[in-house]
Amino acid sequence: MQYYAAPMEGLTDRVWRQAQQKWFGPEGTAHRYYAPFLSPPENRVLIKKKMAELAPAANSGAPVIPQLLAKDGELAAWMIGELRALGYTEVNLNLGCPSGTVTAKGKGSGMLRDPAVLDAFLDAVFSHAEGPISVKTRLGVSSPDEFAAILDIYDRYPICELTIHPRVMRQLYRGQTDRAAFAEALPRCTMPVCYNGDVTTPEELRALETQFPQLSGIMIGRGFIADPALLRRARGGTGASREELRGYLDDLYHGYTELFGSAGCAVSRMKAHWFYLIHRFAGSEKLEKQLRKAREPWEYEVLVNQIFTLPML
Ligand SMILES: Cc1cc2nc3c(=O)[nH]c(=O)nc-3n(C[C@H](O)[C@H](O)[C@H](O)COP(=O)(O)O)c2cc1C
């Protein structure tokens, strides 16, 4: 079973990918790190700053899989060619993003609204691009019953791996993942399938592996940000020590300060990490509120020092 780090815009960038592997690898390294989505530019001129995320020199370690959020299949195929020229092999297509601004444009899980549109998109991608292409999907827009028709379309293309997040678009991240619908769909998939959704502990990871031994992979998102040592624990290793977490968070903070050229911008990126991580510290509620309001780097630094005096769970 392969373990993948989920693509998460604003979290699993190159600074995070390097810090996670430095502090928790090799035992806690994922087999692959899916990069947050890129949108292919309509004028076909690559944006340097965005492409820097995927610069091979900034991405040593485990393989990184670029992800595209697109609606125009030919444009996506062009971008896949550009990514191949950088040395990437697999490219992932985002058909799962539930954000209103994305789906309103018919992208992400908005593409699942109309099977004919989805079919035309995939036809254009696969007839113009070469090499392995994987897909990340939800079960549908408003009901898991939609997935049978969606899967009929996926089954027509040589998708190298299908990652299924068993929620529908309208759910966003609310409620439970629909594991019953996932179990029902699995035997009908002709390609390797990866499960994604709500895995936060090694026990849950093992339970999934036992329930679905035929999976090719399990992808973990929020649970990996909340516990960057999750995979090390899943492989029988130790949990994150206080020193490791401190070193990891300091590397993230300094890495973002350098990347953005501003500690203030780094603070806002760090808050996104702390949103998931702070629950590792007992009695952190008051500091959590203060951290949410912090703007200045000095405020952030003082608060982090205070958080690290709390007992770890
Ligand atoms: C802040 C945030 C950003 C995300 N960005 C992306 C993205 O760029 N591409 C994508 O396919 N999914 C994205 N996702 C969805 C995750 O990859 C994943 O499917 C979701 O978090 C469910 O998995 P989890 O329960 O393990 O977190 C994002 C989710 C969150 C919460």
Side-chain angles (χ1 to χ4, degrees):
M1 184 75 66
Q2 302 261 302
Y3 301 134
Y4 307 144
M8 295 178 87
E9 171 64 17
L11 287 163
T12 61
D13 44 57
R14 67 189 197 263
V15 174
W16 176 80
R17 294 191 291 266
Q18 293 298 301
Q20 195 278 332
Q21 293 180 74
K22 171 180 162 187
W23 286 94
F24 304 103
E27 214 183 346
T29 299
H31 291 97
R32 293 180 205 158
Y33 289 76
Y34 284 77
F37 69 79
L38 286 176
S39 298
E42 278 176 30
N43 62 3
R44 302 196 178 198
V45 178
L46 295 172
I47 301 166
K48 249 191 184 168
K49 204 167 152 195
K50 301 221 164 173
M51 295 309 291
E53 262 305 303
L54 294 173
N59 284 288
S60 57
V64 172
I65 314 297
Q67 186 192 60
L68 295 182
L69 180 76
K71 187 181 171 181
D72 175 335
E74 269 190 52
L75 186 63
W78 165 79
M79 181 91 179
I80 289 170
E82 297 294 308
L83 292 165
R84 295 255 146 79
L86 280 176
Y88 288 100
T89 47
E90 179 187 335
V91 177
N92 185 259
L93 300 176
N94 180 331
L95 299 175
C97 181
S99 148
T101 49
V102 166
T103 59
K105 295 181 201 144
K107 295 183 186 175
S109 57
M111 182 73 85
L112 307 178
R113 265 193 208 107
D114 182 347
V117 171
L118 176 65
D119 195 15
F121 170 72
L122 292 175
D123 184 55
V125 172
F126 281 94
S127 50
H128 292 94
E130 282 168 25
I133 296 170
S134 57
V135 166
K136 184 163 177 279
T137 189
R138 287 194 172 220
L139 294 176
V141 169
S142 34
S143 159
D145 297 341
E146 297 161 30
F147 197 59
I150 292 168
L151 194 53
D152 279 344
I153 292 168
Y154 290 153
D155 278 341
R156 285 181 206 155
Y157 297 95
I159 292 170
C160 70
E161 188 168 32
L162 181 67
T163 295
I164 303 176
H165 176 69
R167 279 190 173 91
V168 292
M169 182 189 99
R170 294 240 160 89
Q171 253 183 300
L172 301 172
Y173 292 99
R174 289 189 293 263
Q176 301 287 310
T177 48
D178 191 340
R179 301 230 174 138
F182 178 79
E184 203 183 306
L186 196 51
R188 292 204 39 227
C189 298
T190 53
M191 68 294 277
V193 173
C194 166
Y195 171 89
N196 164 244
D198 299 355
V199 175
T200 56
T201 63
E203 293 71 29
E204 284 165 3
L205 195 59
R206 262 192 295 276
L208 265 172
E209 290 187 48
T210 309
Q211 190 182 355
F212 303 115
Q214 68 274 52
L215 291 178
S216 50
I218 297 176
M219 178 184 278
I220 310 170
R222 292 164 297 176
F224 209 10
I225 302 296
D227 179 6
L230 180 64
L231 291 183
R232 192 171 74 187
R233 288 168 63 216
R235 290 168 178 142
T238 54
S241 69
R242 187 179 289 273
E243 292 69 32
E244 284 175 323
L245 259 193
R246 184 74 213 223
Y248 161 78
L249 286 160
D250 285 351
D251 272 9
L252 287 181
Y253 182 48
H254 295 134
Y256 290 137
T257 301
E258 195 177 316
L259 179 65
F260 302 137
S262 141
C265 295
V267 168
S268 82
R269 181 63 58 110
M270 291 308 296
K271 284 190 202 174
H273 285 275
W274 276 109
F275 177 80
Y276 296 102
L277 251 170
I278 196 147
H279 308 289
R280 308 284 318 274
F281 294 87
S284 57
E285 296 74 17
K286 201 171 132 210
L287 290 172
E288 184 183 8
K289 261 193 202 151
Q290 293 176 5
L291 187 65
R292 245 185 279 143
K293 291 189 195 143
R295 294 271 174 276
E296 298 297 328
W298 68 265
E299 287 177 280
Y300 170 80
E301 289 159 26
V302 168
L303 282 165
V304 169
N305 284 339
Q306 288 175 324
I307 294 169
F308 269 95
T309 63
L310 298 173
M312 267 176 67
L313 296 172

